[in-house]
Amino acid sequence: MIAHYNAQDADAYVTLMTDDACEGAYRGAVAREGKEGVRSGLRAMFAEFPENRAEIVDRKALGNYVVFLERVWRSNDAEPFDVIAIYSFEGDKCSRVEFVR
């Protein structure tokens, strides 16, 4: 998923998600709902930040959950910021991503 994210390929990114997947704040409001919501949200963000990229700093997995510490840059000149991303899976597809920043 991160390779597709860094390539700014929203279409490839959502192929790895369930149809009803969503993204949002940890235990908070859903920001992007369903594959189409995630796709359109990513496209808008990539248009606003064409140099956006993320790097996995650390990762842990437990059952159907994967937790990444991600370092994100909005541009090559910007200071990076860290995000904890919690990915929930149903089989081999991601069903929810929650971000803590």
Side-chain angles (χ1 to χ4, degrees):
M1 290 182 87
I2 293 297
H4 296 316
Y5 179 90
N6 285 338
Q8 296 198 359
D9 188 344
D11 294 327
Y13 184 92
V14 300
T15 64
L16 303 174
M17 302 185 93
T18 61
D19 290 337
D20 60 348
C22 63
E23 291 184 335
Y26 179 67
R27 295 189 178 183
V30 171
R32 300 175 182 151
E33 193 161 351
K35 271 186 177 180
E36 293 311 310
V38 172
R39 183 190 329 265
S40 65
L42 285 175
R43 285 181 176 166
M45 185 188 63
F46 295 152
E48 183 176 355
F49 302 106
E51 297 175 325
N52 189 81
R53 70 186 191 288
E55 170 187 302
I56 305 302
V57 176
D58 193 19
R59 69 191 85 204
K60 303 287 183 210
L62 180 63
N64 293 333
Y65 300 94
V66 176
V67 178
F68 286 151
L69 172 57
E70 301 176 4
R71 183 147 302 133
V72 179
W73 289 262
R74 292 293 190 213
S75 73
N76 292 326
D77 299 328
E79 286 294 319
F81 58 91
D82 290 344
V83 173
I84 293 175
I86 304 161
Y87 294 80
S88 304
F89 286 86
E90 293 178 11
D92 63 348
K93 299 278 186 173
C94 181
S95 60
R96 183 174 180 89
V97 183
E98 296 179 272
F99 298 101
V100 179
R101 179 175 175 202

